[in-house]
Amino acid sequence: MTPNWFAAVMGTGILAVVAAAFPAGVPVARTASEVFWLIAVTLLVLLTTAMVRHWIRRRDDALADARSHTMFPFYGAVSMAVLTVGAGTGSAGHALLGDVAVPASATLWTIGTGIGLVTYAVMARRLTRPHQVTPVPSWLMPVVPPMVSAASGAALVRHLPEGAPQIAMLVVCYSLFALALSAALTVAVVVGRHLLGNGLPATPLVPTLWIPLGVIGQSVAAINLLGAASGHAWLHSVGVAYGTTVGALGVLALATVVTVTARAFRRGLTFTPAWWSFTFPVGTCALGANSLGLATDSVVIVGAGVTLWCALVVIWGTVAVHTLRHAAGRLGERGTRDGVLAYSVSR
C-alpha cells in the first residue's frame, strides 16, 4: 500500500467540494456533492486502514517509501486527502451530519494540516540539499498541503466567535497560504529548469505535469475564499487581483498540458495510478474559477468553473473505471499465484 493511492481520495473529494460551492441554481449540485463526498469518505477509510496495516505488517517497506525521493512526495496526498474530505464534510456532508458536520470538519482540518506541515518541513529540508535525483513535478505534492489548508480553513472562520478567534484563524490561513506559495515557486523553478534543459518526462509520467495546475487553482480559490471570509474590502481586492492574474496563467497552463497529454496518448500512454493526477488539479481550477467568479460577480467565470467540473466528472469516471480494472487484474494475478503456490505445496 503506497501513499500515491490517496490521490484517488483527493480527486473524488474535490468533486464534492466544488459542487457544494456552486450557486444554488446549478442543477443537481447538492445531490452530486453528497454522493461524491460519501465515496471520498469510504475511500479515505479504506485506504487509511490499508496504510496502517502496511506500516504494521511491512514496516521496512513503509519506511523505505518514506525515505524514497520518488515515493515520499506522495505523502502530501495523504494530507490533502484528509483536508479535502474535511472540507466536504463541512459543506457537502452538512445535510447528512447536521450539527456534527462542523466539528468533524475542524478535526479533519487539524489532522490534515498537521500531516501537511510535516511533509512540508521534510521536503523543504530536502530542497536545501544538493539534488541527487531528477527533479519531477510530484515534488510539489508535499509542499502544497498548507495551501489546501488555507482554502478549507476559510470556511471554518465564520463558525468561530467574532473578534480574536476569527482574526487568529485568518492569520493562520494566510500564513499557510504564504508558506505553500513560496515553496511551490521554489519547486517550480527547480523542476522547470530541469524540463527546459532535458525535455518532457517519459510518457508514463506525463500525467504528473498536471500537478502544477493544482497549485494555480488552489491558490486562486484560497485567496478569494479568505478575502470573502475576512469581510475586508482590501483583502477582497487582493484576491480578485491575484485570481485574475494567476487565473489567466492557469488558462495557458491548462491548454499546454492538455496538448502535451493528447500527444502522450497518441504515443500510447497507458493507465497507471498517476492518472489520478488528472483529477484534483482540474477540480482546484474549477474551485478557483467559481471563487473568483463569485468575488467578481461574473456569471462567465462561474460558468467556466461549472464547465471544468463537468469535464472533471468525465475524467473521474474514466480514471475510476481504469482503476477498478487495474485492481481486478492485480487481484486476479495474486489469486493465480496463490493457487499455483497451493498446488505446488500439495504436490
Side-chain angles (χ1 to χ4, degrees), residues 77-105:
V78 178
S79 168
M80 289 186 280
V82 175
L83 289 167
T84 305
V85 171
T89 300
S91 55
H94 193 273
L96 299 174
L97 297 179
D99 294 338
V100 178
V102 174
S105 178

Side-chain angles (χ1 to χ4, degrees), residues 6 38 58 129 145 157 160 164 173 180 195 200 227 252 275 283 308 335:
F6 280 85
L38 288 171
R58 304 181 65 178
R129 299 175 178 178
V157 172
L160 295 172
C173 288
L195 293 177
L200 295 175
L252 295 175
W275 276 31
L308 284 170

Side-chain angles (χ1 to χ4, degrees), residues 57-264:
R57 297 183 178 184
R58 304 181 65 178
R59 183 176 177 80
D60 290 342
D61 291 343
L63 287 172
D65 288 339
R67 294 165 180 158
S68 168
H69 287 278
T70 301
M71 193 55 66
F72 167 76
F74 291 100
Y75 274 97
V78 178
S79 168
M80 289 186 280
V82 175
L83 289 167
T84 305
V85 171
T89 300
S91 55
H94 193 273
L96 299 174
L97 297 179
D99 294 338
V100 178
V102 174
S105 178
T107 300
L108 290 171
W109 183 87
T110 303
I111 295 171
T113 299
I115 297 172
L117 288 174
V118 171
T119 64
Y120 180 98
V122 173
M123 193 65 198
R125 182 181 179 186
R126 291 186 178 185
L127 287 172
T128 61
R129 299 175 178 178
H131 307 309
Q132 300 176 347
V133 294
T134 301
V136 291
S138 61
W139 282 14
L140 285 167
M141 295 287 285
V143 300
V144 172
M147 185 70 77
V148 182
S149 293
S152 54
L156 297 174
V157 172
R158 62 187 178 88
H159 295 290
L160 295 172
E162 293 183 2
Q166 288 191 349
I167 294 173
M169 186 64 173
L170 284 169
V171 170
V172 168
C173 288
Y174 273 110
S175 299
L176 291 170
F177 174 91
L179 277 175
L181 186 61
S182 60
L185 289 174
T186 301
V187 175
V189 169
V190 172
V191 175
R193 285 177 179 172
H194 176 78
L195 293 177
L196 288 174
N198 299 275
L200 295 175
T203 299
L205 296 178
V206 165
T208 62
L209 293 175
W210 289 65
I211 294 176
L213 277 177
V215 182
I216 294 173
Q218 195 71 60
S219 66
V220 172
I223 200 164
N224 279 283
L225 290 171
L226 288 171
S230 71
H232 294 290
W234 71 275
L235 287 174
H236 170 85
S237 299
V238 169
V240 170
Y242 178 92
T244 302
T245 304
V246 176
L249 295 175
V251 172
L252 295 175
L254 178 61
T256 301
V257 295
V258 167
T259 301
V260 171
T261 304
R263 292 175 179 172

Side-chain angles (χ1 to χ4, degrees), residues 16-34:
V17 172
V18 177
F22 284 145
V26 177
V28 307
R30 178 175 175 178
T31 301
S33 67
E34 292 176 352

